[in-house]
């Protein structure tokens, strides 16, 4: 939609999505509900309400909003991707992967690499590490700098006791990302398992 063609509902939906991204859920709820009052068939507004209710741990309302959005716009990859992430968070792994597959199969979707990454994360949540590895690798083929895919592969290879591969992907993650306690602990454990660990580097992670 060009800026000249945007409706009031479009604007409030964009504002609501922005507020979700900034963690201002109270403002997001106001804007998204306003968008739906302005256009009850606004698929993205319903979708972002689904995202919001998921963040607020109100799954029944989230399901309702996601289902409404999919009925209104069944082939919208942004909508399907958001719904798939929510389904995975709810441990509905098969349903989630079906929706991810539809997103990935759309060659026009601007964030296919991100969809592969999210699908890889979802597969890891269901402990399907073979599928997760395949999806993370595909994500990195499309965009080599995706940190969640780099870290995800490092975790998988660590679980498989392939510590050299694990360290390769962990280093790539470390270069471009801010570490948290979980990722630092993974790095320490990988180094400890390697045959010739870099003790100076190991000390720096502690």
């Amino acid at each position: 939609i060009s800026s000249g063609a945007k409706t009031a509902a479009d604007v409030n939906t964009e504002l609501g999505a922005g507020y979700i991204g900034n963690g201002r859920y109270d403002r997001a709820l106001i804007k998204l509900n306003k968008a739906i009052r302005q256009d009850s068939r606004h698929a993205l507004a319903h979708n972002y309400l689904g995202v919001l209710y998921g963040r607020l741990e109100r799954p029944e309302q989230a399901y309702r909003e996601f289902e409404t959005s999919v009925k209104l716009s069944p082939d919208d990859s942004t909508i399907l991707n958001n719904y798939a992430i929510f389904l995975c968070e709810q441990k509905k792994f098969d349903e989630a992967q079906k929706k991810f597959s539809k997103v990935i199969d759309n060659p026009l979707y601007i964030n296919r690499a991100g969809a592969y990454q999210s699908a890889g994360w979802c597969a890891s949540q269901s402990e399907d590490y073979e599928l997760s590895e395949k999806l993370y690798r595909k994500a990195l083929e499309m965009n080599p700098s995706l940190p969640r895919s780099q870290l995800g592969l490092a975790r998988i290879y660590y679980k498989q006791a392939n510590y050299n591969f694990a360290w390769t992907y962990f280093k790539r993650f470390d270069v471009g990302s801010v570490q948290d306690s979980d990722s630092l602990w993974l790095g320490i454990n990988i180094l400890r398992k390697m045959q010739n660990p870099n003790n100076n580097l190991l000390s720096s992670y502690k």
Side-chain angles (χ1 to χ4, degrees), residues 132-194:
S132 182
E133 178 188 358
K134 176 182 174 183
L135 291 165
Y136 278 141
R137 282 188 167 279
K138 187 64 179 178
L140 290 173
E141 282 177 23
M142 301 182 78
N143 182 352
S145 62
L146 289 173
R148 282 177 61 202
S149 293
Q150 294 162 344
L151 188 62
L153 284 173
R155 291 189 192 284
I156 289 169
Y157 292 131
Y158 176 76
K159 287 177 183 292
Q160 295 173 343
N162 191 338
Y163 303 120
N164 287 330
F165 264 35
W167 183 242
T168 295
Y169 283 98
F170 183 84
K171 282 194 299 183
R172 293 178 189 174
F173 165 79
D174 192 24
V175 167
S177 305
V178 176
Q179 297 275 8
D180 61 18
S181 58
D182 286 340
S183 62
L184 281 171
W185 187 237
L186 175 65
I188 289 168
N189 283 322
I190 294 170
L191 280 170
R192 284 174 172 167
K193 293 287 188 178
M194 294 177 73

Side-chain angles (χ1 to χ4, degrees), residues 81-128:
N81 192 62
N82 288 338
Y83 195 5
I85 291 169
F86 170 76
L87 287 168
C88 194
E89 290 169 345
Q90 301 301 309
K91 303 189 185 306
K92 306 285 188 181
F93 299 121
D94 291 341
E95 293 176 54
Q97 289 297 352
K98 286 177 184 177
K99 287 181 168 53
F100 278 129
S101 293
K102 194 169 182 181
V103 176
I104 288 164
D105 287 343
N106 178 6
L108 300 178
Y109 183 48
I110 195 169
N111 192 25
R112 284 177 78 208
Y116 273 110
Q117 176 170 259
S118 294
W121 162 78
C122 187
S124 72
Q125 297 303 296
S126 65
E127 300 184 351
D128 187 343

Side-chain angles (χ1 to χ4, degrees), residues 29 33 36 45-69 83 86 90:
L29 189 60
N33 278 326
I36 288 170
H46 284 288
N47 190 258
Y48 283 120
L49 261 182
V51 172
L52 179 59
Y53 284 134
R55 300 275 181 93
L56 295 173
E57 298 182 3
R58 292 155 69 176
E60 290 183 7
Q61 288 168 286
Y63 275 122
R64 185 172 65 245
E65 296 297 339
F66 279 123
E67 282 295 313
T68 299
S69 68
Y83 195 5
F86 170 76
Q90 301 301 309

Side-chain angles (χ1 to χ4, degrees), residues 69-70 72-80 102-103 106:
S69 68
V70 170
L72 291 169
S73 190
D75 297 317
D76 187 305
S77 292
T78 297
I79 287 172
L80 291 169
K102 194 169 182 181
V103 176
N106 178 6

